[in-house]
Amino acid sequence: NAYNLHDAIRMRMNCKEYIRLYKKKFNGPQSSFHWRRSLPPLTAEDATRLGLIELSYPADKLVNFRMMAQTEMKTETSINSFAEEGALGDVKRSPRSQVWQVRELT
């Protein structure tokens, strides 16, 4: 596939937006991930935006977008599980301990 610079930049921006919105589908009080329950859930406006992005690209591009989103979610889950389990053990935490707060990659 060949894309001009303008289209490639737009696709990259849409990909990042798609990843952000896709991950929001798993936020909210009913989330199976404890650390995602406090994050804002997908709104109707977000769902519409997600659908418009999905309609803008062929299936092979959407598969790539979704694989990137799922990979980010797995990485976030690993990082946050590591922090929740107290992986630091008895090591004293520095004043910079907020590094271990729940976070999303994007």
Side-chain angles (χ1 to χ4, degrees):
N1 296 335
Y3 295 93
N4 64 37
L5 182 59
H6 178 72
D7 290 340
I9 291 171
R10 179 176 296 157
M11 186 186 310
R12 174 67 176 149
M13 290 181 347
N14 284 336
C15 178
K16 289 181 74 65
E17 180 72 359
Y18 184 86
I19 290 169
R20 187 183 69 78
L21 294 172
Y22 182 84
K23 292 189 317 182
K24 279 182 88 171
K25 289 176 19 177
F26 300 96
N27 293 348
Q30 282 78 26
S31 178
S32 59
F33 299 107
H34 173 72
W35 61 273
R36 282 195 169 278
R37 292 180 186 156
S38 63
L39 299 174
L42 192 70
T43 63
E45 184 180 317
D46 292 337
T48 301
R49 177 75 179 130
L50 191 64
L52 290 174
I53 291 171
E54 288 176 344
L55 292 173
S56 300
Y57 294 98
D60 63 326
K61 296 295 179 225
L62 290 175
V63 168
N64 290 338
F65 290 3
R66 192 166 290 180
M67 283 176 37
M68 286 185 256
Q70 290 170 347
T71 300
E72 272 197 26
M73 288 180 64
K74 286 178 184 177
T75 302
E76 290 168 356
T77 300
S78 296
I79 289 170
N80 291 312
S81 294
F82 181 78
E84 281 181 355
E85 290 173 4
L88 294 179
D90 292 332
V91 176
K92 285 190 173 184
R93 293 184 179 187
S94 72
R96 301 169 91 185
S97 63
Q98 61 268 29
V99 171
W100 292 102
Q101 289 180 352
V102 171
R103 60 184 172 197
E104 288 188 286
L105 293 176
T106 55

